[in-house]
Amino acid sequence: QVQLVESGGGLVQPGGSLRLSCAASGSIIRVDSMYWYRQTPGKEREWVAGINGFGSTNYADSVKGRFTISRDNAKNTVYLQMNSLKPEDTAVYYCNLVVNYLGVWGQGTLVTVSS
């Protein structure tokens, strides 16, 4: 069984920064692509960023140039550095890792951008 633990959410003022982490543990044979999503009440979960096993990254247009996804393969961890945060970035952020060829979701961490 594989578990994902997210951390790093919180309250930040507009223009501020946060760094989210998502660490996988358990019976891990391999970890391929890693993703971040976010969701606000009443809306569908939205893809934010992804990084594949070779380190290639992709971003949603809404966060491009402000967010950076990265990974530490030795720690089975994915990060999301979020800069220049805006109120519209407020959401619950979820990681999704492809572990042992299966997608696994984290529990979510709340990011609130407000003055």
Side-chain angles (χ1 to χ4, degrees):
Q1 193 169 0
V2 175
Q3 301 85 34
L4 302 185
V5 176
E6 298 185 38
S7 61
L11 173 64
V12 63
Q13 292 187 342
S17 298
L18 280 176
R19 188 193 195 206
L20 306 183
S21 300
C22 172
S25 62
S27 302
I28 298 172
I29 299 173
R30 62 181 289 155
V31 181
D32 294 297
S33 295
M34 300 175 166
Y35 306 97
W36 285 98
Y37 290 76
R38 64 188 182 186
Q39 189 170 24
T40 54
K43 292 189 176 181
E44 291 188 359
R45 195 165 294 187
E46 171 192 30
W47 172 79
V48 174
I51 183 167
N52 67 14
F54 301 101
S56 295
T57 59
N58 281 290
Y59 299 92
D61 288 343
S62 59
V63 307
K64 201 171 293 184
R66 300 187 297 121
F67 290 10
T68 302
I69 189 172
S70 61
R71 63 190 290 165
D72 184 332
N73 292 329
K75 297 180 179 179
N76 292 320
T77 298
V78 63
Y79 304 96
L80 187 67
Q81 177 67 43
M82 305 185 294
N83 299 328
S84 302
L85 282 161
K86 305 175 181 180
E88 51 263 43
D89 294 317
T90 296
V92 177
Y93 284 72
Y94 297 90
C95 58
N96 180 274
L97 274 59
V98 180
V99 182
N100 304 339
Y101 303 105
L102 296 176
V104 182
W105 288 96
Q107 82 281 7
T109 185
L110 177 63
V111 172
T112 303
V113 185
S114 175
S115 54

